[in-house]
Amino acid sequence: MEKALVTVLVPIYLEEPSALEKISLTQTLRVLNKYPITFMAPQELNTSWYENFCKDKATIYFERFHWKGIEQFSVLQSTPLFYERFLKYEYMLICHLDAFVFRDEVEKWCSLGYDFIGSVIYNTGFQIKNTLLRKITTFTSPEYFGAAGFGLKKTSGYYYMTTKFKPYIDFYHWQRKLRKRAFYDDLFYTQHFPKLSSKFRISPKYLAEKFGADFNTWDTDKLPFDQAVDSSLPFGVHGWIQYNLDYWKPCIRRYGYNL
């Protein structure tokens, strides 16, 4: 059976999204409606609002999992159980409700064959220096950290990694719980997966910058795009609601939304 190219995966946890999240979802439906859209929902969530809102706008599906809260959501995405559900697709484009997509470039990015392309996180706290100890232990910092809130994953690549290296991942979860550390799946596999297997390929930063942006704390004049110039914008952005909303407002208004 031939695999479909991609599904747009939209995680949901509220029975009805906020006003700004509705803008994100509206744009996703407008731009990416030629691809099947899958809502990832907690087992018990009432999804009636989404079914009504998306009616006649796109082909939609629902995949339900047992998860509550950000922590469980992240842990779930470090398991083969999650990716096994999506093996009928070559890729999944994860598009959270705080992501905004500017144009349809799905096939272009899928054609590159990377296992992960994430939105570059522009946050000064993520500038980690590769100390001598890091170099000795070969645990050097990656070229960039990519957010999966707007990110492209090769399904088979993630299924392979989470299956083959399950003992490693389980041990990591065990020790981080002892240290009472939070878990962010995208940061974990950006840091660990390429070191565990040379088969796992993350796109270089210069490409990822054209794919997506997660603009947190960064000087605007040092960003590789300008919100006033549509042609300079990446494929999509993540976190526009939580971070620098005033920066993104003029841009999103140009796409026909009142903010």
Side-chain angles (χ1 to χ4, degrees), residues 117-173:
I117 310 177
S119 296
V120 176
I121 299 175
Y122 297 100
N123 185 319
T124 53
F126 283 78
Q127 291 183 302
I128 302 172
K129 292 183 178 180
N130 285 319
T131 62
L132 179 61
L133 178 60
R134 281 182 172 270
K135 292 177 181 178
I136 292 172
T137 59
T138 70
F139 208 71
T140 51
S141 177
E143 183 187 16
Y144 70 98
F145 285 97
F150 182 73
L152 185 70
K153 294 181 178 182
K154 181 183 284 187
T155 314
S156 60
Y158 273 86
Y159 182 70
Y160 169 81
M161 294 298 293
T162 54
T163 301
K164 182 175 177 60
F165 297 102
K166 187 176 184 301
Y168 179 94
I169 296 169
D170 289 344
F171 177 76
Y172 181 89
H173 283 307

Side-chain angles (χ1 to χ4, degrees), residues 67-95:
W67 62 278
K68 289 183 179 180
I70 295 174
E71 185 85 4
Q72 287 187 22
F73 173 77
S74 289
V75 171
L76 178 61
Q77 292 186 85
S78 68
T79 68
L81 170 70
F82 176 73
Y83 299 100
E84 186 175 24
R85 297 264 196 103
F86 299 97
L87 285 174
K88 61 184 176 182
Y89 302 103
E90 290 185 45
Y91 293 90
M92 55 174 73
L93 175 67
I94 301 178
C95 197

Side-chain angles (χ1 to χ4, degrees), residues 120-124 126 213-218 223 238-239 243-244:
V120 176
I121 299 175
Y122 297 100
N123 185 319
T124 53
F126 283 78
D214 190 310
F215 171 31
N216 296 178
T217 57
W218 208 261
L223 291 169
H238 174 249
Y243 306 107
N244 301 299

Side-chain angles (χ1 to χ4, degrees), residues 4 7 10 33 142 148 159 187 221 233 235 248 258:
T7 184
V10 182
N33 59 65
Y159 182 70
L187 304 185
D221 61 351
L233 296 173
F235 174 24
W248 292 115
N258 293 320

